Amino acid sequence: MQQTRSTQLFERARLSIPGGVNSPVRAFRSVGGTPPFIARGEGSHIFDADGNEFIDYIGSWGPLILGHRHPVVLDAVAEALTRGTSFGAPTEQEIELAETVRAMVPSVEMVRLVNSGTEATMSALRVARGFTGRDLTVKFEGCYHGHVDSLLVKAGSGVATLGLPDSPGVPKGFSDTTLTAPYNDVPALEEIFRLHGPQIAAVIVEPVCGNMGCIPPAPGFHQALRRLTADNGSLLIFDEVMTGFRVAAGGAQALYGIRPDLTTLGKVIGGGLPIAAYGGRRDIMTFVAPSGPIYQAGTLSGNPLAVSAGLAVLRHLAAHPEIYTRLEQAAAELAAAAPQGITVNRVGSMLTWFFTDQPVTNADDARRSDTKRFGRFFHAMLDRGIYLPPSQFEALFVSAAHTDADISTTVDALRESFRLAE
Ligand code: HOZ
């Protein structure tokens, strides 16, 4: 293999970091080859350590809805830096971020800031259990809710990408608290509730799945989740780490008109800095310490730099609804470039091409995609300067920074790459 600065860095990284990366999907294991090491980003483009330029459709796996180095983020972080990097004490901006989240996502009546999506889902689950006094959780096969012990069951994202069975290190007692159903399968969920209804604390769902590739909810799926949970005294948790502020300003719950009991948020809420959140009904959230007995805490929670960046992005999105129209139009153009025989799933600016001519509505369908062909397609795109998620089981993200020229360059690359991947 030809040595480049990136390949040298990868060899060096593997000596000190497991697999050379700090999150598994980045390692290119399922598509072959080694990852470019990124030196910098600007708008919709990134530049690697060898000076190669790419149009970026990962956007840090979702947070960068405004693109790299957007001025509102840079200005907010620069201003916050003049005040200090961390206090571990309350600040006024945390209230402003909480109020902004409440205004944009009305089901979130109270919100607690944490540092990662995993922390958000882990905490939401604990709150659901503490509030209901029940232990069981229902999740859907192929959905991924971070690396929370009890949620690493039939998980998507990196777990699906690497073809791993459920992770070693998770005590059986933890995974036994998780029941699974196929995504979009209402009869399977009804059966689970028939058998276990009074023990189920919560159903957690990616309202648009992004972690087995993009899979939209079937018509009526969310309404059934809402009805079954309400009828059984269970909570409905929308994991909007990926979809929050992305598929609509109010997230997937606004798009589909569903009011979950709890919501987890991440990615866009931090504007590219590490923030996540969980929130929901006031009567539930007041169970969280110190107002209630359910414990959850964090030294860097509400970090001022991250809060500033997140607040700037959310305010910008709220003030510019036309961004969502633009995202819709640009992503639709990309979706339309697929030839016959490829299944395209898209919701707003989340999109996946599956190498199958059959509809993809759940994890089994997604696994039927020809992943070898995906690997060839991925590398053909990369060779043409288009940086896609290196996994069939992840969604790509269009940002407001993608220009008409980016989209048309990408469409040309798509046409060639689909042909080369055959
Ligand atoms: N779990 C993330 C996307 N589903 C991937 C995170 C990363 O590798 O950075």
Side-chain angles (χ1 to χ4, degrees):
M1 186 176 48
Q2 192 205 341
Q3 284 283 303
T4 62
R5 175 106 177 100
S6 279
T7 57
Q8 285 164 358
L9 288 170
F10 193 55
E11 277 170 27
R12 183 172 145 210
R14 292 205 312 197
L15 298 177
S16 306
I17 304 173
V21 289
N22 279 312
S23 193
V25 189
R26 301 176 193 181
F28 276 39
R29 284 281 171 95
S30 70
V31 291
T34 59
F37 274 60
I38 305 306
R40 67 185 181 89
E42 190 67 49
S44 56
H45 288 224
I46 50 174
F47 302 81
D48 73 9
D50 293 286
N52 298 308
E53 181 172 354
F54 303 95
I55 303 175
D56 178 18
Y57 288 100
I58 296 184
S60 187
W61 300 92
L64 300 186
I65 195 164
L66 301 181
H68 295 270
R69 301 187 77 248
H70 192 281
V72 301
V73 175
L74 298 189
D75 290 350
V77 173
E79 193 277 326
L81 266 173
T82 65
R83 288 181 274 118
T85 55
S86 186
F87 307 115
T91 62
E92 185 171 348
Q93 280 209 312
E94 290 166 81
I95 315 173
E96 290 175 19
L97 182 55
E99 289 170 348
T100 305
V101 170
R102 288 182 59 198
M104 292 176 81
V105 189
S107 77
V108 175
E109 295 166 354
M110 296 191 95
V111 60
R112 170 59 66 80
L113 298 181
V114 292
N115 300 288
S116 73
T118 293
E119 238 190 291
T121 55
M122 179 186 77
S123 308
L125 219 57
R126 181 177 304 149
V127 169
R129 288 178 169 141
F131 179 78
T132 59
R134 304 171 176 186
D135 284 345
L136 297 184
T137 309
V138 181
K139 80 173 278 288
F140 294 92
E141 294 164 20
C143 284
Y144 175 77
H145 306 286
H147 56 94
V148 179
D149 276 338
S150 67
L151 293 175
L152 273 185
V153 179
K154 298 194 179 164
S157 187
V159 184
T161 303
L162 297 174
L164 296 175
D166 305 333
S167 177
V170 176
K172 184 170 177 315
F174 290 13
S175 38
D176 282 351
T177 61
T178 306
L179 308 169
T180 60
Y183 198 72
N184 280 325
D185 189 338
V186 174
L189 192 67
E190 286 172 337
E191 180 64 4
I192 287 177
F193 269 99
R194 196 181 63 73
L195 294 173
H196 305 282
Q199 286 87 47
I200 296 173
V203 174
I204 186 166
V205 65
E206 286 183 77
V208 174
C209 190
N211 280 298
M212 44 184 157
C214 178
I215 300 193
F221 180 55
H222 288 319
Q223 285 74 9
L225 297 189
R226 188 57 288 186
R227 172 177 50 80
L228 282 165
T229 46
D231 288 353
N232 287 274
S234 311
L235 303 186
L236 178 58
I237 306 174
F238 265 22
D239 179 354
E240 297 230 41
V241 167
M242 218 179 251
T243 52
F245 314 108
R246 171 160 289 279
V247 296
Q253 54 197 272
L255 199 60
Y256 298 106
I258 297 288
R259 194 175 174 99
D261 302 299
L262 291 173
T263 297
T264 56
L265 296 163
K267 300 195 189 275
V268 172
I269 193 180
L273 275 83
I275 280 204
Y278 65 98
R281 276 170 39 194
R282 182 175 296 276
D283 61 324
I284 300 173
M285 290 302 289
T286 47
F287 269 63
V288 177
S291 59
I294 301 171
Y295 201 73
Q296 180 272 312
T299 299
L300 288 170
S301 296
N303 173 265
L305 300 185
V307 166
S308 304
L311 191 53
V313 168
L314 296 196
R315 283 179 170 162
H316 188 81
L317 291 172
H320 295 279
E322 71 281 4
I323 284 178
Y324 292 96
T325 315
R326 164 66 191 165
L327 292 175
E328 176 72 25
Q329 173 227 334
E333 274 185 53
L334 297 182
Q340 281 216 325
I342 301 284
T343 293
V344 193
N345 281 356
R346 179 181 74 83
V347 176
S349 54
M350 293 169 61
L351 183 154
T352 302
W353 297 281
F354 291 97
F355 289 80
T356 168
D357 57 3
Q358 298 301 305
V360 178
T361 64
N362 60 30
D364 281 347
D365 294 342
R367 272 191 293 269
R368 270 182 220 116
S369 177
D370 183 342
T371 50
K372 292 224 161 41
R373 230 171 122 198
F374 174 83
R376 295 196 293 276
F377 163 75
F378 169 84
H379 278 290
M381 290 293 278
L382 195 65
D383 289 347
R384 284 159 183 73
I386 315 291
Y387 187 69
L388 300 176
S391 164
Q392 177 68 88
F393 306 111
E394 298 282 358
L396 74 74
F397 300 102
V398 180
S399 81
H402 286 104
T403 61
D404 286 343
D406 289 330
I407 299 297
S408 112
T409 303
T410 308
V411 166
D412 290 344
L414 281 167
R415 297 218 167 99
E416 286 176 26
S417 300
F418 280 124
R419 193 170 37 75
L420 287 168
E422 281 183 5

